[in-house]
Amino acid sequence: MQITILTARMMWERAINMSSRLWLGGLLLISLLIITPKQQIPYQFVSFTVLFPAVFLLTDWSSSAARKSMMFITTRGTGRKQVRTAEWLFPSLAGAVISSIAVFTVSAPPPWQFWVAASLIATSFSLILLMTEQHLKYAGRAVLYLMWLAQITGFRQTGRVTDFLLFTGYPAAVLIADPVAGSPHPDSYVLASLVIMFLAASTYVYLLKRNS
């Protein structure tokens, strides 16, 4: 447990002390404000709070000196497992907590589906970003960024397959879902979040076993 906490602390201190992370956060926020249709900005901002902790903490973390030092001093026992757990758990918890506060600016109270979808997507996105940083660094970043851009360009629930492919927008989709108007029911996004979580976790475990 101590190693998990120490890893999380090192991730936070490393990120907060890098000016590039602050610039990255500002750039993404400006992009959201410029590209997103005005009426959708509050909802997309909530989805942004789900995802950004992972971007803030995990970008370049896998190749950092801080992580290498943690893996070096935990060569035995369960230490490395605790480091790997902290890598996805800390960003996931941060995304779930921050979005749980931000959501009250647009929905009070939010539908119960939001809590489930936000937590699952925060965890899934952390795992996916962690894997792409380790195995498909720049290609993975590009795909995730393009997915996010497609989401914020004009998010509307139409029942099409693309609504479910843009999983980064599930938290916002739950908040603005209106089955009466023909959009998918919020429960659909809960089920889709479970599927994304299962796929992300399964792939992560597979890669760990393959590289061990």
Side-chain angles (χ1 to χ4, degrees), residues 64-76 79-80 83:
S64 68
R67 184 182 190 273
K68 290 177 181 177
S69 65
M70 286 300 300
M71 298 301 283
F72 178 77
I73 65 176
T74 56
T75 54
R76 295 183 180 181
R80 290 198 169 191
V83 172

Side-chain angles (χ1 to χ4, degrees), residues 80-100:
R80 290 198 169 191
K81 291 183 179 179
Q82 294 183 46
V83 172
R84 294 190 180 103
T85 298
E87 288 177 333
W88 62 263
L89 182 60
F90 182 39
S92 302
L93 289 175
V97 170
I98 296 172
S99 63
S100 295

Side-chain angles (χ1 to χ4, degrees), residues 43-44 47 155 157 163 169-178 183-184 186 189:
Y43 301 99
Q44 293 299 336
S47 281
F155 198 92
Q157 281 62 57
D163 292 341
Y170 284 5
V174 168
L175 294 174
I176 61 179
D178 185 6
S183 63
Y189 292 102

Side-chain angles (χ1 to χ4, degrees), residues 107-162:
S107 179
W112 68 266
Q113 292 94 338
F114 171 80
W115 307 106
V116 179
S119 299
L120 290 174
I121 293 303
T123 304
S124 300
F125 186 75
S126 295
L127 288 169
I128 292 170
L129 183 57
L130 185 60
M131 288 185 287
T132 58
E133 286 289 303
Q134 293 173 345
H135 302 284
L136 294 167
K137 188 173 183 178
Y138 297 107
R141 289 179 185 178
V143 170
L144 291 174
Y145 182 64
L146 289 174
M147 180 184 296
W148 182 71
L149 283 180
Q151 167 205 321
I152 66 173
T153 298
F155 198 92
R156 295 185 302 166
Q157 281 62 57
T158 61
R160 296 176 301 183
V161 174
T162 51

